[in-house]
């Protein structure tokens, strides 16, 4: 084992990054008629996109299939070795197959080509060799060839797998745009993660309602408002008129500013010290919108109102934290 200095480590790493960056840059010229054909074939697919590949190409294929599936193109990965032992039955004539092989001649992949062709599933290849068996059999070949691997031995798939991954992302994004895939669509396939919660959770799902809303009528003294804040524990109270419409908000911050003025908490009506025309949100809005408002305004709670201005709920930063929106 040779001794390596800190500079040696940095030099090797930077060299690898630059080689892989050049491999990615070279892909721009390959967004050609083959790429467009691949997009058209997948857009016309009535089944699913089946991705297959061996070794490192298989690992990349798994990721490409997952990205396609989460961005509006139903997709899954089939191992070519397992396909020869029964898993080929997972593929139908309605599907499109994306086969990945840097050489384009990987035996496990080539073995199943006649069967894929026989069932009539269109084949798209991703190879580093346009003259290979796989490329010739495909309706479209996406060129992911590289001049050199980042591995100094030229053996470990590095630049080639990076180029393949990026080409797969380019394909997924092109299809996403073509389908008009929205953030709401994305959230539907990610309901369990924080992203899904941010994109799906509504204010109505987590807001305080009924007797849990901190609320006092106009005319209440400041001391009465403080009692309501203490009992409800949201760090604020809303103020409503006789018709239940929101007229103001009084927060912990308002209290600190009010006490600096030496007002009498027992006689001062809440209307004199509350914040008029404060920020509100409606129940059908995304909880993430409530978070954005709170962060922008540097506040910790929001009243929830109807379109007519009636108070229907309240939400604070702790509610968003518990719901996983933050």
């Amino acid at each position: 084992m040779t001794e390596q200095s800190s500079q040696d480590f940095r030099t090797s790493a930077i060299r690898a990054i630059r080689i892989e960056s050049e491999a990615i840059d070279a892909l721009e010229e390959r967004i050609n008629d083959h790429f467009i054909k691949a997009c058209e074939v997948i857009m016309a697919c009535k089944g699913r996109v089946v991705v297959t590949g061996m070794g490192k190409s298989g690992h990349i294929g798994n990721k490409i299939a997952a990205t396609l599936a989460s961005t509006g193109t139903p997709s899954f990965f089939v191992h070519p070795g397992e396909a020869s032992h029964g898993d080929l039955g997972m593929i139908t004539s309605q599907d499109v197959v994306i086969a990945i092989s840097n050489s384009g001649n990987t035996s496990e992949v080539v073995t199943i080509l006649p069967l894929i062709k026989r069932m009539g599933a269109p084949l798209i290849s991703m190879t580093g060799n346009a003259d290979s068996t796989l490329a010739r059999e495909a309706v479209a070949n996406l060129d992911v060839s590289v001049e050199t691997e980042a591995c100094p031995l030229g053996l470990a798939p590095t630049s080639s797998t990076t180029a393949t991954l990026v080409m797969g992302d380019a394909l997924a994004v092109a299809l996403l745009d073509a389908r008009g895939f929205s953030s709401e669509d994305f959230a539907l396939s990610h309901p369990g993660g924080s992203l899904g919660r941010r994109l799906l959770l509504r204010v109505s799902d987590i807001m305080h309602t009924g007797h849990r809303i901190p609320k006092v009528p106009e005319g209440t003294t400041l001391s009465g408002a403080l009692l309501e804040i203490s009992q409800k524990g949201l760090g604020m109270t809303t103020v409503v008129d006789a018709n239940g419409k929101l007229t103001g908000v009084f927060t912990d911050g308002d209290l600190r500013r009010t006490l600096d003025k030496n007002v009498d908490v027992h006689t001062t009506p809440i209307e004199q010290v509350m914040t008029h025309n404060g920020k509100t949100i409606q129940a059908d809005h995304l909880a993430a919108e409530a978070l954005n408002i709170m962060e922008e305004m540097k506040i910790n709670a929001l009243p929830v109102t109807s379109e007519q201005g009636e108070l229907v709920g309240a939400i604070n930063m702790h509610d968003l934290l518990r719901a996983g929106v933050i």
Side-chain angles (χ1 to χ4, degrees), residues 101-110 127 129 131-134 136:
S101 168
N102 187 41
S103 69
N105 294 307
T106 303
S107 59
E108 292 86 350
V109 177
V110 172
T127 75
N129 181 2
D131 295 322
S132 62
T133 300
L134 189 57
R136 290 196 303 269

Side-chain angles (χ1 to χ4, degrees), residues 123-147:
L123 174 69
I124 296 168
S125 62
M126 297 179 71
T127 75
N129 181 2
D131 295 322
S132 62
T133 300
L134 189 57
R136 290 196 303 269
E137 293 294 327
V139 297
N141 177 58
L142 305 184
D143 183 0
V144 291
S145 59
V146 297
E147 286 192 12

Side-chain angles (χ1 to χ4, degrees), residues 95-299:
D95 299 329
V96 171
V97 176
I98 297 178
I100 304 172
S101 168
N102 187 41
S103 69
N105 294 307
T106 303
S107 59
E108 292 86 350
V109 177
V110 172
T111 297
I112 62 175
L113 289 187
L115 300 172
I116 293 172
K117 301 289 282 187
R118 183 181 301 172
M119 70 177 62
L123 174 69
I124 296 168
S125 62
M126 297 179 71
T127 75
N129 181 2
D131 295 322
S132 62
T133 300
L134 189 57
R136 290 196 303 269
E137 293 294 327
V139 297
N141 177 58
L142 305 184
D143 183 0
V144 291
S145 59
V146 297
E147 286 192 12
T148 181
E149 296 286 7
C151 167
L153 302 176
L155 299 175
T158 43
S159 303
S160 58
T161 49
T162 298
T164 304
L165 181 62
V166 172
M167 183 66 83
D169 286 343
L171 186 63
V173 170
L175 294 167
L176 178 155
D177 285 339
R179 296 185 193 281
F181 195 76
S182 68
S183 57
E184 287 75 16
D185 295 324
F186 190 87
L188 290 174
S189 59
H190 298 75
S194 59
L195 180 60
R197 287 191 289 273
R198 287 180 64 88
L199 293 174
L200 292 176
L201 202 66
R202 304 282 171 178
V203 171
S204 58
D205 296 324
I206 57 175
M207 71 183 188
H208 298 265
T209 59
H211 69 278
R212 298 169 60 214
I213 305 173
K215 175 178 63 175
V216 296
E218 290 180 333
T220 301
T221 61
L222 178 53
S223 60
L226 295 179
L227 182 62
E228 182 72 356
I229 292 174
S230 177
Q231 289 177 340
K232 299 300 171 64
L234 294 189
M236 65 94 171
T237 184
T238 59
V239 183
V240 297
D241 63 16
N243 296 317
K245 288 190 175 183
L246 182 73
T247 59
V249 177
F250 188 78
T251 68
D252 288 340
D254 292 324
L255 173 61
R256 288 190 291 273
R257 289 184 288 272
T258 298
L259 293 178
D260 287 340
K261 300 176 183 178
N262 296 317
V263 301
D264 188 339
V265 299
H266 299 292
T267 60
T268 302
I270 192 64
E271 298 97 290
Q272 290 186 13
V273 292
M274 71 182 185
T275 298
H276 297 265
N277 303 316
K279 286 289 183 179
T280 63
I281 195 167
Q282 293 182 7
D284 61 346
H285 286 203
L286 291 174
E289 292 182 50
L291 174 62
N292 291 338
I293 293 173
M294 291 184 199
E295 290 181 335
E296 181 182 349
M297 303 303 298
K298 295 181 172 57
I299 56 179

